[in-house]
Amino acid sequence: MLRLRILFGMIAFISSQIANTQETLSSFKNDLKTTSTNVSVKDAIPVVNHLNNNVALFITDPKNIYGYLLNDNLAVKNKLAFTNKQRTFKTLIGNSIYNNNYQVFLANKKRNKFLFANFSFEKQESQTKQFSLNTPDEKFIQSLSLQNRFYLISANKKTDELFVYSFDEKGISKRHKVTLPDFNFLGKTEKVVTPVALLFSQKSDLKKIDTDVPNPVETSGDLNKMYIRENSIVFSFDTNKNMTQVLTIDLKTFSSAAKSFKKPLEKVKSKEKKSNSFIIDDKIFLATTNSEKLVLQILKYNTGDLIKEYLIEKDQPISFKNTPIIQRGGLYVPTRRMEKTKKYLRKINKDNFGLSARKVDGKYHLVMGGYIPVGTRGVGAGFGNFSVFFNVSQSSFNSSINSVSTIIESLFDEEMNHVEGKIKDDAFDKMKPFHSKPRKGETLFKFKDFFVYVTYYSGSKLFRLEEFKD
């Protein structure tokens, strides 16, 4: 009898957690799709209008694209359908919005040819236009959408030139050559290199960091990262273990500036040391580690002045953590706790090392540790696996469930003093019990002050939009 009461109590508790966590905002049927349900939906692509909080949700199958325009309550206000004839372009790299017309930009597999597609819900029509980079030697670096405008970044490795393309409402591009600063960037071996060479030094696609999104170390652990800060692009380079180097491009003048931050090396002298950084608000977090010690410094981003320093030593408990040492095993392996500091240091020094910070409820939430990628969570093949270029929220969520990581989490106040207290589950933590298994037609996006997860049910052709908050 007691066991039954416990069982029913657990069921009631789990049900209440589901009810509190998983709130359905809206749902609608994909009634534009009249073909057989055997022709499966591939992708759902959200384009958020940050000026009026409308959302265009584009849904693709192998033959067609279905567009639904949602109002600021995420209810359908208009829709259109058209045949997808441009199947060469499968990677979505960004979007723009002009006069309530929604535009998306796509790339081919080699990322040397691109497609501009304009969708007018009012006129119930669409137009497409192809374009290429100005010269064959230019290579695509990254892209971004800022204040409903799209920018494409490219570079010429042979001439060490960096370019930013801007686009008007007709998809006509204008190439801006970036004026590079007179600054000696250093490569991995202390040799002077150009910023263009640093941008090409990483084999994987350059990660975009959104500090309003939970960034697992799997996202922030790359040595090269890109941030959007106000009206500027910021590239950070941690290829050199002795310093973090930063290149900032002003999107109004297309001029640039550079600076560097010396990493905390005095107490970490091993050749096997690892280091990384993370930029947020007016601060930069710098960490250097080996198998015996870890030094964390928080500096003022504008001046480089030290705010606080924290030290981890292998034979001492970690004084500034708010969680146990946690080892997460990816999607199907349960979380474990690690007791000894020396195991944590040994593990993160062996794996890839990263850290990230996010401001929640007036406090800075730091995640720091090592990780091993173990898989890729696909998002379909219609417009393609676009999350690294287009949907930063989706990319971060995918990363968090496709790796083995060993981390600690900490809280700090504005002065970077350690703050005691329990760390609450963030929106991604709350999503995982419901959406850790990929389905075609799924997506998620940041909307207002919360995240929206879109689930597709192929049998009923129903889309459900759920709210997840920190």
Side-chain angles (χ1 to χ4, degrees), residues 45-47 89-95 103-107 143 383-391:
I45 301 157
V47 178
F89 303 92
K90 295 183 178 181
T91 302
L92 183 68
I93 57 174
N95 67 274
Q103 293 125 6
V104 295
F105 294 80
L106 303 101
S143 58
F383 274 108
N385 188 355
F386 55 82
S387 58
V388 171
F389 306 111
F390 172 69
N391 194 332

Side-chain angles (χ1 to χ4, degrees), residues 314 316 318 325 338-345:
K314 68 174 184 177
Q316 300 294 326
I318 301 173
I325 301 168
M338 189 180 292
E339 298 296 333
K340 295 184 178 180
T341 303
K342 64 180 180 181
K343 288 187 177 180
Y344 169 75
L345 290 173

Side-chain angles (χ1 to χ4, degrees), residues 30-45 57-68 80-90 106 379-384 386 440-442 456 458 461 463:
N30 185 12
D31 51 17
L32 292 173
K33 181 176 173 62
T34 58
T35 56
S36 168
T37 54
N38 293 328
V39 181
S40 61
V41 161
K42 298 291 186 181
D43 287 326
I45 301 157
L57 189 63
F58 295 103
I59 300 153
T60 72
D61 65 23
K63 296 182 179 180
N64 302 291
I65 300 174
Y66 314 99
Y68 290 87
L80 59 85
F82 43 93
T83 302
N84 179 16
K85 297 179 180 180
Q86 304 288 350
R87 300 182 194 177
T88 301
F89 303 92
K90 295 183 178 181
L106 303 101
V379 293
F383 274 108
F386 55 82
K440 292 181 179 179
E442 281 187 343
Y456 179 63
S458 58
K461 301 181 185 178
F463 281 89

